[in-house]
Amino acid sequence: MVLELLRPAGGVFVEAMTGMRFFRQSPAVVKIPPNILPELRAGILVCTSPRSGSNHLAGLMASAGLGHPLEWFGGRRLLELPGYPRDPRTQLLRALTEGRSSTGVYAIKLFASQFKQLAKKVNLPASLPNLSYVRLTRDDLLGQAISWARARQTRKFRSTEISHVPPRYNGQAIAESLEKLLMENAAWGGWFAKNGLSFLSLTYEQVQRDPAGSLTKLAQLVDVEPNWGPELQSGLEIQRDALNEEWRKRFLSENADPSSFEYRTRK
């Protein structure tokens, strides 16, 4: 009734009002079923970006009983499993059951772009019990961008997958990948800062150099006794090869200019 009285010609006012924040529904807190909750000792949310070594870390964590940090909220799940649920509430319950190790630790991998969409419907931090955060980054950002551009082109995201097309250099795709990765990192950094959240910081290079030490830090984060053998394996191999280095040299020859400080911003 009130909106009808205030409606001007064309309904522009109502459209604007209904699009404003106070007309939007708050994201839901998912209630965990009582048959699942007692089995959840602790949770790990791996906050990362594409081609950060997250698949390698996920394999290591699974072998160490530290959960199965997969893309439970869309992403690879939707691509690999045609019948995978699209309701984020159902996806969350899958993460708490299928993403849980026998130790009672569950784990989730999430990109900032995925979190942005998920947060429209589900209050993830409030829904996940005994949650700890891990921030996984990669020191070599250009190498990460090259890896992502190549994987998106060939559709080969893991060493166990088959390349669908031969890789071809595309400087624009590398530049766009680099920009998106910078935005992902900035989004995570801003989210942690504005919420005053503490997290364990790991890098791809650190995990590669010292997998046992990295897993020990993760185990301490969720108060689990380290329990794994001397030979830790993720089941994956490094895909980076001489072609990546060739692309790096070519990209730098075409784009490097230390005298310039140009950058783009998105609305």
Side-chain angles (χ1 to χ4, degrees):
M1 176 68 71
V2 174
L3 292 181
E4 287 297 327
L5 292 174
L6 295 176
R7 184 193 298 270
V12 177
F13 179 79
V14 172
E15 291 178 9
M17 291 286 284
T18 55
M20 295 178 72
R21 184 175 300 275
F22 52 78
F23 275 93
R24 298 174 185 170
Q25 292 183 344
S26 299
V29 176
V30 179
K31 185 176 181 180
I32 309 303
N35 63 312
I36 297 178
L37 194 57
E39 300 178 1
L40 304 175
R41 176 173 181 172
I44 299 174
L45 183 63
V46 180
C47 306
T48 188
S49 57
R51 311 309 294 167
S52 63
S54 58
N55 288 328
H56 176 57
L57 179 61
L60 292 173
M61 290 175 63
S63 68
L66 295 172
H68 302 272
L70 305 178
E71 293 177 46
W72 296 109
F73 296 100
R76 299 288 296 177
R77 298 296 93 196
L78 294 178
L79 293 174
E80 296 170 351
L81 303 174
Y84 191 74
R86 295 182 178 273
D87 180 3
R89 290 172 286 262
T90 306
Q91 293 171 348
L92 186 145
L93 296 180
R94 292 283 285 266
L96 295 180
T97 52
E98 297 178 23
R100 186 180 71 242
S101 294
S102 59
T103 57
V105 177
Y106 67 90
I108 296 169
K109 179 177 78 171
L110 200 62
F111 301 149
S113 55
Q114 295 170 341
F115 195 9
K116 180 180 179 180
Q117 296 303 315
L118 177 64
K120 296 177 181 178
K121 296 183 178 181
V122 170
N123 185 336
L124 189 65
S127 300
L128 297 177
N130 304 321
L131 185 64
S132 295
Y133 300 97
V134 173
R135 182 77 177 91
L136 177 65
T137 57
R138 186 166 171 174
D139 290 335
D140 183 8
L141 273 172
L142 179 54
Q144 185 177 357
I146 291 172
S147 176
W148 194 20
R150 180 173 175 174
R152 291 165 70 186
Q153 183 184 109
T154 63
R155 309 307 300 170
K156 182 180 179 182
F157 291 89
R158 301 187 182 97
S159 61
T160 54
E161 296 176 336
I162 299 174
S163 177
H164 291 269
V165 295
R168 297 180 60 183
Y169 176 81
N170 185 330
Q172 182 63 30
I174 295 173
E176 291 176 355
S177 295
L178 179 58
E179 181 182 4
K180 289 178 180 178
L181 290 172
L182 290 169
M183 293 175 66
E184 286 261 336
N185 288 343
W188 278 127
W191 182 73
F192 279 113
K194 76 175 184 178
N195 290 290
L197 296 172
S198 60
F199 57 91
L200 171 65
S201 180
L202 292 175
T203 67
Y204 163 78
E205 290 81 2
Q206 181 182 359
V207 174
Q208 283 288 108
R209 184 172 58 251
D210 185 13
S214 300
L215 288 175
T216 298
K217 292 180 180 180
L218 284 165
Q220 292 172 343
L221 186 67
V222 291
D223 195 23
V224 171
E225 188 69 25
N227 183 24
W228 50 80
E231 295 297 328
L232 284 168
Q233 299 292 333
S234 67
L236 299 173
E237 298 178 356
I238 295 176
Q239 298 186 69
R240 184 174 61 256
D241 56 22
L243 184 61
N244 291 61
E245 189 58 31
E246 291 178 14
W247 286 12
R248 179 193 297 271
K249 292 178 180 178
R250 181 171 175 180
F251 181 84
L252 290 174
S253 69
E254 296 173 350
N255 297 277
D257 181 7
S259 68
S260 172
F261 196 63
E262 294 181 0
Y263 62 93
R264 293 187 295 167
T265 58
R266 294 177 183 269
K267 295 183 179 180

